[in-house]
Amino acid sequence: MADELFCKVVSIGIKCRECEDRRANVRLTVESRSSSNPVHKKELIVRLSDDTDPFFLYNLTLGEEDFQSLKNQQGLLVEFSAFPQRFIDLLEQCILEQDKPVPRFLLQLVTSSNALDCMPASLNIIETNPFKHLIHLSLKLLAGSDSDVKKYLATCIKNLKLENCTLKEKLQKSEEELSKRLGVTQQALADKCKELDKLRNEWASQTSLLTSKHTQEISAEREKALQVQSQYQLQYEQQKKELETTSSRTIQHLESRVSELEAVNKDLTERKYKSESCIRELKGKLSGMEEEYHRTKQEVTSLRRENATLDSECHEKEKLINQLKTRTAVLEQEVKDKEQVIIRSVDACESAQEHKKKLEDSLDQKQVQTGKLETTVKSLSEELIKANEIIKKLQTDMKKLMEKIKLKNAVTMQQEKLLGEKEQTLQKEKLELTNIKHTLKMKEEEMLKLKEQLDSTTEKLEESKQLLKTNENVIAWLNKQLNENKIAALQGTHGLHEMPGSLKAVGIASNAGVMQTTQVRFNQSSPAVEPRPVPSTSTPILPSTSCDPVGLDMKYLKKNGSVPVKGQKNGSSVGTVPVRPALPKSGSSPILSAYFPGQQSRLPAS
């Protein structure tokens, strides 16, 4: 029995020696067949066929023994049981990539000639990349002989006949079902037509009855409306006469009232002008306060920006410290070349000194900025005190105005509308005052936050100064050790000792007899280091292998007694590197890193 595992149309590139290369859509089937005669064996069948060309046929039957030879030849890592699924996965990837302009996986069929000469053809699954075309799997397929083609065509005809029979049966069943549905729908249509005629007749009779009823009701309503209209006219005439009498009386009363109100109105207008003048003065004061508020707001935004820049600089410095810590571990494993490091250190010293000067200038600038921030904070606090005093004065003025308004309300009860409008304007001014108070509180909170940020920045600056002091102490100690080593070298000690641990960076200058060394920095947890004498010789020690030194951070460099270091590739000056000649041979040596920007070096483990 043969089980079909894969059967799909695949785009294959066909290569032939005697004809041009072409692409064709070919049906690729993978089947597994188990035979029990004479021994239970499993075989994998791979078949290539073309639906348009029945004579295009290539077969491969792969048994377990054949697969072992294929596995040894092509270096496969898959067993025979898992090979079919892996092969199908590769085919699926080829199908996914075949529509792309530059496919990653390709199927290729290489044949000897275009004619049917029964020569074997190889089916290759290729992975493409910009460097090379990698063949993952290559299977040799045999072109189908006449008997194979006949068998294949016979099986195809058999399958087509079976499909034809099944399709005919499905067609007959569908025709019967459709005829039944047609009869049922026609009967339902006739019933619905009858119901429609009945509904139309009923609707016509109901409409005639409704029209007669509505005409009678409309005539009755018209008669009622005429009666009601006559009654309303009589009532209107009576009310008109009564209103005329009452209006004459009210006019006389109002005329006397108007004379009184005019006298009162004159007094109120005089008071109104006075109140308007007071309101103008208050508005002028408010505009001044708003201008001061905008100024303080702009100053606060500028202070925030300066604080943000200070935070970013501190963050960058912390990143540099972390990078230095990681690079120390790298430099403990690689620095073998001694003379190259010394030659490069000559140019690095000058750049390191310049960088140190820049750092000192930046420290002075930061101190000046902190002084400016403190002065701005003091000025803002003084302005806030002035604003509070002005608000208190405005509150007292508002209290006096409220007392005056209450007196006016008691005297002028008849002018409630005008006073109501004035009260509304006063309430608006109160709301504005409350808003100003709220904004002033917010400013005070912002000022407190700014003071806290200033304190934090000053603390960070003090920490950085302490770090610089400690680094300078370490450099001074190293210079002392260098002087001792020079004295020992001059007294006649011979032999160059290699630096233990992971840093081998001691070189000897050729003519001057002055030892040039790379700078090292020790961890706090490192053991004590005993200096070893290094003599000055006329010839430098050549390194065994090349090393790419990593750049020092400029804050660990010192002007006096340092040697500039050049980069390996471009020879640029990168940093000063004063170094101790000898260090303890331990895996976790307490050596600080010498950094060279743009390059990394690996230190060999001692």
Side-chain angles (χ1 to χ4, degrees), residues 172 195 231 237 311 332 347 379 394 565 582:
Q172 287 176 359
E195 288 178 0
Q231 289 176 2
E237 289 174 356
D311 290 333
E332 285 177 358
D347 295 329
S379 62
L394 289 170
V565 178

Side-chain angles (χ1 to χ4, degrees), residues 33-185:
R33 184 173 66 188
S34 59
S35 61
S36 59
N37 293 324
V39 183
H40 184 71
K41 290 182 179 180
K42 282 188 178 181
E43 292 179 345
L44 185 71
I45 299 167
V46 180
R47 185 184 299 116
L48 287 175
S49 61
D50 194 351
D51 294 338
T52 58
D53 185 6
F55 295 102
F56 182 85
L57 183 67
Y58 287 93
N59 291 319
L60 170 66
T61 57
L62 188 67
E64 292 184 1
E65 295 176 355
D66 298 330
F67 178 75
Q68 291 298 324
S69 63
L70 180 71
K71 183 179 178 182
N72 294 324
Q73 287 173 5
Q74 299 187 11
L76 300 177
L77 303 173
V78 183
E79 297 298 329
F80 182 72
S81 59
F83 175 72
Q85 186 60 42
R86 297 287 185 181
F87 180 54
I88 290 164
D89 292 338
L90 287 171
L91 293 173
E92 292 288 347
Q93 287 182 353
C94 293
I95 291 165
L96 290 171
E97 297 283 334
Q98 68 185 2
D99 294 330
K100 294 182 179 179
V102 182
R104 189 182 170 191
F105 289 92
L106 293 172
L107 277 170
Q108 191 179 45
L109 184 68
V110 181
T111 59
S112 60
S113 64
N114 198 11
L116 297 172
D117 54 358
C118 296
M119 292 296 291
S122 60
L123 178 67
N124 299 326
I125 297 172
I126 301 168
E127 183 181 357
T128 61
N129 56 33
F131 181 70
K132 187 181 178 182
H133 287 235
L134 300 172
I135 297 171
H136 283 282
L137 185 65
S138 179
L139 299 175
K140 288 185 179 180
L141 305 173
L142 291 172
S145 61
D146 292 336
S147 61
D148 293 332
V149 172
K150 285 176 185 178
K151 285 179 183 178
Y152 170 67
L153 291 172
T155 53
C156 290
I157 291 163
K158 186 179 178 181
N159 292 325
L160 287 170
K161 284 181 178 178
L162 289 169
E163 287 179 0
N164 195 4
C165 292
T166 53
L167 288 169
K168 281 181 180 177
E169 289 176 356
K170 287 179 180 177
L171 235 176
Q172 287 176 359
K173 289 178 182 178
S174 60
E175 283 177 355
E176 289 174 357
E177 288 177 357
L178 289 169
S179 60
K180 287 178 183 178
R181 287 180 183 175
L182 236 175
V184 172
T185 50

